[in-house]
């Protein structure tokens, strides 16, 4: 499908038009610090003008719309014979302005939740969501290492992909559903100079990203395997507070807990899924009191092994997209690039 | 890909339990209660010994519990539940005629066909006798398929011993050797005393033709493996069932993971040569 051009001045109207039919979620300003720093989040909008398409990174990725922090899996009644029924979110959503790394993470989770036992709650949301991507020309900030992970370019996983070409967005149409969405915007054909501007963007992009991990990340699975007994895990693990923030903000983490919530009437309730963290000390403990990853270092190692080895080996997709959210939110200043660098050097 | 057309949204959720009726229940010890359950919808649970179910009690939660019966026995399945927390305590309040939610069966279970024609040595400590019992009953129900059968059972005290009547029955069978020991005896106890590994002195193992099925607390497992390996049983003939924290049973929630292995999917039954490579297995 031939690309189109959407003038920036017409973008807000497009998003507002979509909001008439879908829940539109996109980047918005959450907070401005005194020093002028801005914090962004994905959130629902009814007025497209609230979207901040110049955002760098959001606190949480759009994962929260597919695997929310808390969701209801089923509701039940306990009076007489117990009864239960599944609860699914069937809202139609459009995710606007997702960066390539977050699209990549979604693409990974699609695979995770549709492999073997399909997860209807994830898939119900995901099937009804459309993704309008927004390409980036440079890393969000100095913490990003998406280029090392190869996730700053995505070829699929979106319905539309917008590239900033100055006064307008160059819009690639990847799916028919995307084309139908774009019909609600006032667009024009892409001309030669638009293609040239997009080409210039891609060249800028190529020069804008630099690798930070001293080894090719395709070797990380083997490097990690060899590092299993390295003292580096203990050295880094010692600093860890086991707070779990790294997991909570990660776009590719998908471990969860399931708990029951009884309503006030005490005869009905819900079973809920909440995102969980493998860094918490009781994550792998059982009734006898045994915990199978008792040491912080073994939990930290488990996280990195999942990110850069296990997930990739199981699904053929990177388990870490290099967004740096874990690192930005770590109170102990544990840093992925430093960890991989240190591990690669300590085998 | 966005439309995920290859995976249409499922109407049936693997998180919704089916219901089972408790048709028999009794206390086995002060801590462990036994249940026989029949599925309400008339579709019997299609299970293998060594698999587990998620028992569901609405308003409280779920707990993974091993099936302790054998499918050779009929259209029911059985559970042995130790009171260990919220869900299991609530289960202890349930009796014949009550309803429970059941998801599963999950996990790989034992493979009775793989040990056909061989000697089978069971080493079951504590609550480990529950999952082992499924396979023990299978073997007795298909006795001609197996050669020598030896059962070593251990409990902390005589009062902790599960399935006492059944053990007596096994002890009286001419086609198997059953030895029981307790760590701490009382005045009523006339049998063996000491940890389960002591029983190895009383049996003979033909290492090349024996499968050892070892189920029990992690500490017992280590010592029992040592015994059978020192007898010369090959590592891939040592079969164990591992416990991990479990929530989903579907290979997603991550709690049961040992390194890259989801115990709820690939386990809980493993051979020692496999577990040993995992490093975090035992
Ligand atoms: C494959 C498998 C087979 C099992 N078979 C049996 C059996 O046949 N009989 C039996 O009595 N018990 C069995 N267990 C243990 C049983 O699952 C736990 O005792 C039970 O989950 C505790 O739940 P609760 O709600 O009663 O306790 P809670 O109140 O939830 O917690 C009490 C303790 O149990 C631990 N725990 C909580 N949830 C889990 C969980 N999902 N998995 C493991 N530990 C947990 C916690 O660390 C806590 O310390 C098995 C466990 C597994 C994984
Ligand atoms: S591990 Fe960290 S850098 Fe990698 S995807 Fe998760 S939050 Fe982003
Ligand atoms: S955010 Fe940092 S301190 Fe907290 S668990 Fe993760 S690595 Fe440890
Ligand atoms: S119990 Fe959830 S992944 Fe195994």
């Amino acid at each position: 499908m031939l690309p189109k051009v959407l003038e920036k001045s017409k973008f807000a109207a497009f998003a507002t038009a979509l909001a008439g039919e879908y829940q539109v979620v996109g980047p918005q300003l959450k907070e401005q610090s005194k020093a002028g720093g801005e914090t962004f989040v994905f959130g629902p909008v009814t007025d497209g003008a609230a979207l901040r398409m110049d955002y760098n990174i959001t606190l949480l990725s759009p994962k929260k719309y597919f695997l929310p922090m808390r969701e209801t899996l089923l509701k039940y009644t306990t009076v007489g014979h117990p009864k239960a029924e599944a609860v699914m979110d069937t809202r139609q959503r459009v995710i606007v302005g997702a960066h390539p790394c977050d699209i990549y993470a979604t693409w990974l989770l699609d695979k995770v939740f549709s492999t073997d036992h399909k997860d209807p709650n994830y898939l119900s949301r995901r099937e009804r969501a459309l993704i309008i991507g927004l390409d980036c020309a440079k890393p969000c900030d100095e913490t990003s290492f998406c280029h090392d992970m190869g996730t700053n370019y995505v070829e699929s996983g979106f319905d539309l992909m917008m590239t900033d070409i100055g006064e307008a967005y160059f819009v690639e149409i990847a799916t028919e559903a995307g084309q139908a969405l774009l019909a609600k915007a006032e667009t024009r054909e892409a001309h030669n100079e638009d293609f040239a501007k997009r080409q210039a963007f891609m060249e800028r992009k190529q020069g804008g990203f630099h690798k930070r991990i001293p080894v090719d990340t395709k070797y990380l699975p083997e490097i990690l395997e060899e590092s299993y007994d390295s003292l580096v895990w203990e050295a880094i693990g010692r600093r860890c507070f086991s707070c779990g923030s790294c997991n909570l903000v990660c776009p590719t983490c998908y471990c969860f807990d399931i708990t029951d919530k009884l309503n006030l009437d005490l005869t009905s309730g819900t079973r809920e899924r909440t995102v969980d963290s493998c860094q918490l000390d009781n994550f792998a403990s059982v009734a006898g009191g045994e915990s199978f990853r008792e040491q912080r270092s073994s939990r930290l190692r488990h996280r990195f092994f999942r990110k850069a080895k296990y997930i990739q080996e199981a699904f053929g997709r990177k388990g870490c997209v290099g967004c740096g959210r874990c690192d930005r939110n770590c109170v102990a200043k544990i840093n992925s690039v430093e960890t991989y660098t240190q591990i690669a050097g300590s085998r | 890909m966005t439309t995920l057309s290859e995976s249409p949204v499922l109407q049936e959720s693997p998180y919704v339990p089916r219901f089972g009726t408790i048709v028999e229940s009794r206390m086995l010890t002060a801590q462990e209660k036994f249940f026989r359950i029949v599925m309400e919808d008339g579709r019997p649970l299609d299970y293998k010994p060594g698999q587990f179910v998620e028992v569901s009690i609405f308003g409280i939660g779920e707990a993974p519990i091993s099936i302790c019966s054998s499918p050779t026995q009929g259209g029911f399945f059985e559970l042995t539940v130790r009171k260990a927390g919220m869900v299991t305590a609530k289960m202890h309040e349930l009796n014949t005629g009550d309803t429970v939610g059941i998801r599963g069966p999950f996990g790989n279970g034992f493979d009775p066909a793989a040990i056909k024609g061989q000697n089978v040595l069971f080493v079951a400590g504590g609550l480990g006798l529950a999952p082992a019992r499924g396979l023990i009953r299978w073997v007795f129900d298909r006795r001609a398929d197996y050669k020598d059968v030896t059962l070593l059972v251990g409990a902390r005290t005589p009062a902790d011993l599960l399935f006492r009547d059944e053990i007596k029955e096994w002890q009286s069978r001419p086609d198997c050797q059953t030895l029981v020991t307790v760590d701490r005896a009382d005045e009523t106890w006339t049998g063996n005393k000491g940890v389960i590994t002591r029983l190895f002195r009383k049996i003979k193992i033909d290492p090349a033709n024996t499968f050892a099925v070892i189920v029990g607390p992690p500490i017992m497992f280590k010592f029992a493996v040592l015994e059978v390996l020192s007898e010369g049983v090959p590592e891939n003939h040592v079969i164990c069932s591992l416990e991990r924290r479990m929530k989903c049973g579907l290979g997603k929630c991550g709690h049961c993971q040992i390194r890259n292995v989801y115990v709820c999917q690939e386990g809980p039954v493993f051979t020692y040569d496999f577990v040993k490579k995992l490093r975090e297995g035992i």
Side-chain angles (χ1 to χ4, degrees):
Chain A
M1 284 168 269
L2 286 173
K4 298 268 190 184
V5 169
L6 171 63
E7 297 299 330
K8 283 187 176 167
S9 58
K10 310 235 164 90
F11 172 77
F14 170 44
T16 307
L18 292 181
E21 250 176 75
Y22 299 89
Q23 184 189 45
V24 172
V25 297
Q28 299 164 47
L29 183 67
K30 174 162 193 274
E31 251 171 36
Q32 188 143 24
S33 72
K34 288 210 181 86
E38 296 178 312
T39 308
F40 298 98
V41 291
F42 274 95
V45 290
T46 46
D47 178 2
L51 293 173
R52 282 287 302 272
M53 299 298 276
D54 60 334
Y55 82 108
N56 57 352
I57 187 151
T58 50
L59 226 43
L60 298 180
S61 76
K63 181 186 83 176
K64 63 180 176 178
Y65 295 106
F66 306 131
L67 183 67
M69 285 290 183
R70 173 181 283 275
E71 73 184 301
T72 301
L73 295 177
L74 41 123
K75 55 180 186 195
Y76 47 76
T77 52
T78 57
V79 269
H81 191 287
K83 275 191 268 316
E85 64 179 288
V87 176
M88 309 269 167
D89 181 349
T90 55
R91 224 169 314 177
Q92 307 271 338
R93 279 197 186 87
V94 181
I95 314 275
V96 181
H99 282 168
C101 62
D102 286 344
I103 293 173
Y104 190 103
T106 308
W107 183 62
L108 166 74
L109 293 186
D110 290 350
K111 180 99 175 175
V112 168
F113 284 111
S114 56
T115 301
D116 298 334
H117 299 280
K118 296 188 189 326
D119 189 284
N121 296 77
Y122 177 94
L123 294 175
S124 169
R125 291 190 167 82
R126 183 64 184 95
E127 274 229 309
R128 291 174 175 82
L130 293 151
I131 296 182
I132 305 181
L134 177 66
D135 207 353
C136 25
K138 58 178 174 44
C140 299
D141 64 17
E142 68 291 343
T143 311
S144 318
F145 56 104
C146 47
H147 191 45
D148 292 271
M149 291 300 176
T151 56
N152 51 343
Y153 293 92
V154 280
E155 266 149 33
S156 57
F158 49 83
D159 296 280
L160 297 172
M161 177 60 84
M162 311 201 306
T163 305
D164 187 335
I165 53 167
E167 296 299 299
Y169 295 111
F170 183 95
V171 188
E172 267 174 87
I173 304 168
T175 65
E176 274 169 27
Q179 186 166 38
L181 276 191
L182 198 57
K184 298 194 192 315
E186 214 181 297
T187 55
R188 62 168 172 80
E189 310 280 290
H191 307 308
N192 279 350
E193 63 264 30
D194 301 314
F195 281 96
K197 283 183 190 163
R198 162 148 153 124
Q199 186 55 32
F201 175 95
M202 294 317 280
E203 278 158 24
R204 252 197 340 276
K205 174 162 182 161
Q206 244 171 13
F209 287 86
H210 302 284
K211 297 227 161 139
R212 302 181 52 218
I213 299 173
V215 293
D216 189 324
T217 56
K218 78 170 179 219
Y219 297 117
L220 282 180
E222 293 154 67
I223 289 174
L224 285 178
E225 187 57 40
E226 285 181 27
S227 80
Y228 186 82
D229 294 309
S230 168
L231 277 179
V232 168
W233 296 118
E234 207 179 317
I236 301 173
R238 244 187 220 181
R239 287 155 53 199
C240 173
F241 295 104
S242 300
C243 67
S245 304
C246 45
N247 296 122
L248 295 187
V249 298
C250 177
T252 66
C253 272
Y254 60 89
C255 289
F256 55 82
D257 195 10
I258 301 175
T259 50
D260 277 30
K261 220 172 83 186
L262 210 51
N263 295 333
L264 286 176
D265 62 12
L266 300 182
T267 59
S268 65
T270 51
R271 183 157 288 165
E272 316 227 320
R273 163 154 82 185
T274 48
V275 299
D276 208 340
S277 161
C278 62
Q279 301 304 291
L280 303 181
D281 63 359
N282 65 357
F283 185 81
S285 66
V286 296
E290 191 116 8
S291 170
F292 294 96
R293 276 184 294 278
E294 208 169 2
Q295 309 297 325
R296 277 154 208 242
S297 53
S298 65
R299 295 196 293 272
L300 187 90
R301 179 177 60 197
H302 186 67
R303 175 163 77 89
F304 279 97
F305 271 59
R306 269 186 76 107
K307 293 298 160 199
K309 177 174 162 67
Y310 303 151
I311 288 180
Q312 173 155 6
E313 288 170 348
F315 299 107
R317 298 175 186 184
K318 283 258 166 38
C320 166
V321 299
C323 68
R325 286 185 176 95
C326 53
D327 304 332
R328 280 182 212 98
N329 288 286
C330 178
V331 271
K333 304 223 175 326
I334 289 168
N335 179 284
S336 304
V337 171
E338 282 168 21
T339 303
Y340 290 125
T341 304
Q342 216 171 338
I343 279 300
S346 90
R347 283 168 296 147
Chain B
M1 175 193 324
T2 299
T3 50
L4 284 172
S5 51
E6 76 275 17
S7 57
V9 171
L10 304 168
Q11 292 312 312
E12 230 173 73
S13 167
Y15 297 107
V16 178
R18 293 162 64 200
F19 293 105
T21 308
I22 298 170
V23 295
E24 194 187 318
S25 64
R26 66 193 141 89
M27 294 304 287
L28 292 179
T29 70
Q31 291 304 314
E32 280 102 3
K33 191 162 181 175
F34 169 87
F35 300 94
R36 177 177 288 184
I37 298 168
V38 173
M39 296 312 287
E40 275 184 1
D41 54 14
R43 200 158 44 90
L45 206 68
D46 183 10
Y47 72 94
K48 292 203 275 179
Q51 284 193 299
F52 66 95
V53 291
E54 284 282 352
V55 177
S56 194
I57 297 186
F58 294 138
I60 301 177
E62 294 186 309
I65 303 291
S66 306
I67 299 172
C68 67
S69 54
S70 162
T72 50
Q73 305 258 309
F76 57 81
F77 66 97
E78 293 165 344
L79 306 176
T80 301
V81 179
R82 172 178 289 175
K83 199 194 262 191
M86 301 277 284
V87 174
T88 48
K90 184 70 196 178
M91 280 199 75
H92 273 231
E93 291 174 24
L94 300 181
N95 290 304
T96 306
D98 288 335
T99 304
V100 283
I102 298 288
R103 290 197 299 127
F106 296 119
N108 58 353
F110 295 110
D111 183 359
I115 57 175
K116 242 179 164 169
Q118 299 278 319
N119 301 327
V120 192
L121 165 67
F122 289 94
V123 186
L127 194 51
L129 184 57
R133 176 179 177 263
L135 186 59
I136 293 171
R137 300 203 71 138
W138 176 294
V139 167
F140 284 149
D141 286 342
R142 303 268 189 277
R143 188 62 189 86
D145 287 349
Y146 303 91
K147 294 207 308 217
D148 295 350
V149 176
T150 310
L151 308 177
L152 306 185
V153 178
R156 266 175 305 163
T157 71
D160 293 319
L161 197 58
L162 300 172
F163 301 110
R164 262 166 283 184
D165 297 342
E166 254 165 85
I167 291 173
K168 276 205 196 96
E169 198 188 305
W170 299 339
Q171 281 174 321
S172 66
R173 284 180 77 116
D175 60 355
C176 87
Q177 185 184 8
T178 303
L179 299 176
V180 184
T181 185
V182 295
D183 296 350
R184 273 172 285 120
D186 57 20
E187 52 285 359
T188 66
W189 186 256
T190 52
N192 299 299
K193 273 176 268 182
V195 292
I196 196 166
T197 42
R198 288 228 197 148
L199 297 177
F200 278 89
R201 291 185 213 154
K202 305 187 180 228
I203 58 166
K204 265 195 65 63
I205 298 176
D206 169 15
N209 301 301
T210 299
F211 274 90
V213 179
I214 304 178
V215 199
I219 180 80
M220 178 212 95
F221 182 71
K222 223 173 249 176
F223 289 110
V225 169
L226 236 133
E227 292 287 341
V228 295
L229 292 183
S230 70
E231 293 285 340
V233 177
E235 291 184 345
N236 62 353
H237 283 201
V238 179
I239 300 166
C240 59
S241 175
L242 299 185
E243 185 186 351
R244 284 296 182 276
R245 195 185 187 94
M246 294 187 182
K247 282 291 174 178
C248 66
L250 304 166
K252 303 277 189 273
C253 78
H255 285 274
C256 68
Q257 226 181 357
I258 306 177
R259 307 261 265 142
N260 60 339
V261 172
Y262 286 91
V263 176
C264 71
Q265 302 297 296
E266 292 176 54
V269 176
F270 297 100
T271 53
Y272 177 69
D273 64 329
F274 181 83
V275 183
K276 138 190 120 171
K277 286 190 207 117
L278 289 177
R279 306 282 303 271
E280 292 171 20
I282 31 166

